[in-house]
Amino acid sequence: MRRPLNSLIQSSAYAFYKVLTTHCHALKLGTLADVYTANKILNAYTRCKELHIARKLFDEIPHRDTVSWNTMIGGFVNCGNLETACKILKNMRRCDFDFDGYSFGSLLKGVASAYRLEVGQQLHSMVIKMGYEENVYAGSALLDMYAKCEKVEDAYTVFEYLPEPNSVSWNALIAGFSKVGDRSTAFWLLHCMEKEGVRAEDGTFAPLLTLLDDIEFYKLTIQIHGKIVKHGLAFDNTVSNAMITAYSECGSIRDARKVFDGAVGMRDLVTWNSMLAAYLVHEEEELGFQLFLDMQRLGFEPDIYTYTSILSACFEKAHKSHGQSLHAVVIKRGLEFLVPISNALIAMYIKSNNTSMGEALKLFESMELKDRVSWNSILTGFSQIGLNEDALKLFGQMRSLMVEIDHYAFSAVLRSCADLATLQLGRQVHVLAIKSGFETNDFVASALIFLYSKCGIIEDARKSFEETPNDTSIAWNSLIFGYAQNGQGSIALDLFFLMRDRKVRLDHITFVAVLTACSHIGLVEEGLNFLKSMESDYGIPPRMEHYACAVDLLGRARRLGEARTLIESMPFKPDAMVWKTLLGACRVCGDIELATQVASHLLELEPEEHCTYVLLSHLYGHLRRWDEKANLTRLMRERGVKKVPGWSWIEIKNQVHAFNAEDQSHPLCKEIYQMLGELMEEITWLDTDTGLDALISDFDEPCESCDAKLLSAGNF
């Protein structure tokens, strides 16, 4: 339902017109001398945020009282001008007016909004000095200030001094403990509140619902929902919005939608945004796009949060056109210069595919104002798509421009150091992370573990792990991967069981790591059992990457038939990653018939992806089926598919040298190729009967030339 016409007319302009009219009548009738009338007009001006007129009227009131001063303090606080409000309080004292509970209450509200704890503590001393610590208004405001500044112990101390705490006091305390994530205390306070006979309100339940953010709290969410209905708050806007988010976080998109549908006629923009976020969290992108259209059709204009949310759903290939359309809408509505929206667009282009990095860079360079997120997005983009040298250069630029380096930046640049195997540079970044106080951050520790594991120094990876709190799965997963990839799968599995025994929350990445460990040490049955028990024992449904790991597990054991059967039994259509894994297994086993069938699936899914052609070409070459190999090379040429050259890096005297196949750009190019030639001659001379002749013949093959060259370049 729409709001009635008369309520829509009550705009700020109309309200201001009414105040002016009242003021004029008061001047004409001479009633401004009456302090009650003057205060009423003064309050109306502050509500309209016309503080310059209010200040002038305040100065003209002949007989001001405490209400006049409190009205001005409250007006400036509501407009976010805490400094002026404090000056008025000081002037109030100089003019021999006593403060009351409302004076402190208004000013403490401003302190809480600005998170100015030191000012709040000074006011607290004044409250005690003047004997207002038991005043319900001053006390509740003090409690709220401490709670919002996350000083919950101090808030509780203030609460204990209140003779008769009201619902505002209880709600402020519950909100404070909810904000710091103290779930048990927050719900204990709800129990105490109900026991004391204080009626719960929307401000009671909304903070509590933010704590219900996991599937294990689903039943508790239903119980709280029941209390909400019992108290007649089911149709309260704030509570409904929080309920949508809570059900979504607890894994029930169906219940979230029920709450949303029940809020017809009371929905605001937050309601729509909450439901949109719920759809996107549950990967229901199509429903999210439809909701985005519906809200506009019903007259709700999207805000920054709406656009940033919907843009985050556009990185999948199927939704790429939606992302471009939304970019056009953003430009049309003049929102492209808003930093959060530009950041969302950058992230969308980076995530969509590697070829869109140019679009992301254009956006980044066109931004007049860049925040930390802008820089981190580009840095992470470079790192993720393999432009590691660019990532290192950008990191250096960030430091020279004094951009704040946070844990996301450290994590990205350490990953690039790992990919380049630049151990010394990685150690320097490690030292910088320690100086910045981020060495115990989960994401930074995970990147450090990855770096040292990739460089084969698993002992240092373990040290980085030991220095973290180890209470989340992030560092555990990285270390399990590290041991698995360094050939120590048994230790990796021991870590998994230790992680489980310590009740660290497992996630889908944990099982990717575990299945990788099983694959590397040949524990086929154990790995398959892990896959089967994921959902039943741990509540984690297997994803595409888990099936890909299982296919790799079976492929390494040369059980291709079982691998094919597993793919056919998957609850979703296999993607390119799964087929590539099976194709790699076919190459190892030399099964050309199955490889040809798998390749046909891949060429249909990704006709321009060079990896499929290269893997199949390797297999044809290995089996000496030269005609098929030549046909494949011809097909690549006809389709314009080129093998992306591989890269190799070497770090000398803290400088990274990069090479790719047939590279001529290095200043020492002649010396490098001379050394390569000498090495190849020596290899040929040392062993001509060990199959290296095939390697040398491949050296001249256009699709496979990088392997031997990069090996030699790395040795150089």
Side-chain angles (χ1 to χ4, degrees), residues 354 576-577 579-585 587 595 598-600 602-603 605-620 632 636 639-646 703-704 706:
N354 294 355
M577 174 177 59
W579 289 121
K580 281 178 187 175
T581 306
L582 184 58
L583 182 58
R587 180 192 172 193
V598 174
S600 66
L602 278 168
L603 294 176
L605 287 170
E606 297 180 339
E608 298 176 359
E609 175 57 54
H610 75 280
C611 292
T612 305
Y613 299 91
V614 172
L615 280 169
L616 200 55
S617 177
H618 272 292
L619 184 54
Y620 284 139
L632 194 63
M636 288 178 69
R639 293 184 176 180
V641 178
K642 292 184 179 180
K643 183 180 184 298
V644 177
C703 289
E704 302 173 21
C706 61

Side-chain angles (χ1 to χ4, degrees), residues 454-525:
K454 194 85 178 283
C455 294
I457 311 174
I458 197 68
E459 297 81 9
D460 285 355
R462 186 66 181 249
K463 285 179 185 176
S464 294
F465 172 77
E466 299 294 349
E467 289 170 0
T468 65
N470 297 335
D471 53 0
T472 68
S473 63
I474 298 169
W476 285 89
N477 293 345
S478 295
L479 192 62
I480 293 171
F481 267 120
Y483 275 111
Q485 291 169 349
N486 276 269
Q488 300 185 44
S490 298
I491 298 177
L493 292 179
D494 288 342
L495 276 169
F496 167 76
F497 292 121
L498 181 61
M499 179 183 182
R500 187 188 62 183
D501 293 343
R502 290 188 181 179
K503 301 192 183 306
V504 179
R505 184 179 175 187
L506 309 177
D507 57 25
H508 67 282
I509 299 173
T510 310
F511 283 95
V512 174
V514 167
L515 289 167
T516 301
C518 290
S519 183
H520 281 224
I521 57 176
L523 296 177
V524 181
E525 300 306 326

Side-chain angles (χ1 to χ4, degrees), residues 16-233:
F16 180 47
Y17 169 75
K18 284 180 67 177
V19 181
L20 284 174
T21 304
T22 305
H23 192 177
C24 290
H25 279 298
L27 286 170
K28 185 177 179 181
L29 298 172
T31 55
L32 271 180
D34 176 46
V35 69
Y36 174 79
T37 302
N39 286 343
K40 198 171 181 181
I41 296 171
L42 187 68
N43 182 53
Y45 276 129
T46 59
R47 285 178 177 275
C48 294
K49 303 197 175 187
E50 297 290 341
L51 295 181
H52 60 293
I53 302 177
R55 188 67 180 261
K56 189 176 180 182
L57 174 59
F58 176 78
D59 292 338
E60 293 172 355
I61 296 175
H63 303 292
R64 292 181 294 224
D65 60 6
T66 302
V67 175
S68 312
W69 290 93
N70 287 346
T71 301
M72 289 305 298
I73 291 170
F76 279 101
V77 164
N78 290 333
C79 288
N81 193 336
L82 180 62
E83 303 301 327
T84 303
C86 288
K87 288 177 183 176
I88 293 173
L89 187 77
K90 290 177 182 177
N91 290 335
M92 182 179 179
R93 187 64 182 271
R94 288 194 194 104
C95 294
D96 292 327
F97 282 91
D98 290 331
F99 307 151
D100 62 10
Y102 294 103
S103 310
F104 288 116
S106 295
L107 205 53
L108 284 164
K109 177 185 174 184
V111 171
S113 299
Y115 303 104
R116 295 285 299 276
L117 178 62
E118 71 286 354
V119 177
Q121 289 170 330
Q122 291 172 21
L123 286 170
H124 191 176
S125 66
M126 293 174 67
V127 167
I128 294 172
K129 186 178 179 181
M130 299 185 69
Y132 278 99
E133 66 268 32
E134 294 186 0
N135 178 276
V136 67
Y137 297 105
S140 294
L142 263 175
L143 191 160
D144 183 60
M145 182 273 296
Y146 280 123
K148 285 181 177 172
C149 292
E150 300 188 8
K151 292 286 185 180
V152 289
E153 293 82 5
D154 293 334
Y156 190 77
T157 301
V158 172
F159 178 80
E160 288 185 308
Y161 275 93
L162 294 175
E164 292 183 12
N166 58 16
S167 61
V168 176
S169 313
W170 283 97
N171 292 346
L173 196 60
I174 288 172
F177 279 98
S178 299
K179 186 178 180 182
V180 299
D182 191 340
R183 188 178 294 104
S184 59
T185 303
F187 278 96
W188 173 75
L189 286 168
L190 173 66
H191 174 71
C192 293
M193 181 181 180
E194 291 178 327
K195 206 171 178 181
E196 291 291 323
V198 180
R199 181 176 174 78
E201 301 171 346
D202 57 338
T204 312
F205 292 113
L208 288 169
L209 288 166
T210 64
L211 297 170
L212 306 176
D213 56 359
D214 191 84
I215 193 168
E216 64 180 292
F217 304 122
Y218 177 64
K219 289 184 178 178
L220 182 56
T221 305
I222 293 174
Q223 291 173 2
I224 294 296
H225 194 177
K227 284 182 178 290
I228 288 167
V229 172
K230 183 179 178 181
H231 284 81
L233 298 169

Side-chain angles (χ1 to χ4, degrees), residues 362-430:
K362 281 182 189 176
L363 270 168
F364 178 75
E365 290 164 0
S366 69
M367 292 173 69
E368 293 182 11
L369 295 172
K370 300 179 180 76
D371 63 6
R372 190 174 59 194
V373 177
S374 316
W375 287 93
N376 285 348
S377 296
I378 296 295
L379 181 64
T380 304
F382 280 145
S383 180
Q384 286 176 345
I385 67 174
L387 298 174
N388 297 299
E389 288 181 293
D390 292 317
L392 297 179
K393 288 175 185 175
L394 188 72
F395 184 74
Q397 188 180 354
M398 289 172 68
R399 293 199 66 205
S400 65
L401 294 174
M402 305 299 287
V403 178
E404 184 182 353
I405 308 295
D406 62 9
H407 59 285
Y408 293 110
F410 278 118
S411 177
V413 77
L414 283 166
R415 295 263 171 188
S416 288
C417 290
D419 287 339
L420 293 171
T422 54
L423 179 60
Q424 294 307 314
L425 186 58
R427 288 192 188 280
Q428 291 176 24
V429 177
H430 188 175

Side-chain angles (χ1 to χ4, degrees), residues 689-701:
D689 299 322
T690 58
L692 286 175
D693 53 337
L695 180 64
I696 295 166
S697 68
D698 278 346
F699 188 73
D700 297 321
E701 181 64 40

Side-chain angles (χ1 to χ4, degrees), residues 245-311:
T245 303
Y247 273 126
S248 170
E249 295 285 338
C250 291
S252 179
I253 191 69
R254 184 172 59 87
D255 287 324
R257 181 71 203 207
K258 280 183 180 179
V259 175
F260 178 80
D261 291 339
V264 174
M266 293 159 293
R267 296 173 188 157
D268 60 6
L269 190 56
V270 178
T271 314
W272 288 92
N273 285 344
S274 299
M275 194 64 229
L276 176 63
Y279 277 139
L280 300 184
V281 164
H282 288 266
E283 299 180 356
E284 297 283 359
E285 287 86 1
E286 290 300 332
L287 292 173
F289 288 124
Q290 186 58 52
L291 191 82
F292 178 73
L293 297 175
D294 289 343
M295 66 184 290
Q296 294 175 83
R297 182 172 51 82
L298 293 171
F300 290 90
E301 184 67 24
D303 62 1
I304 291 177
Y305 182 85
T306 316
Y307 281 113
T308 53
S309 296
I310 198 69
L311 284 167

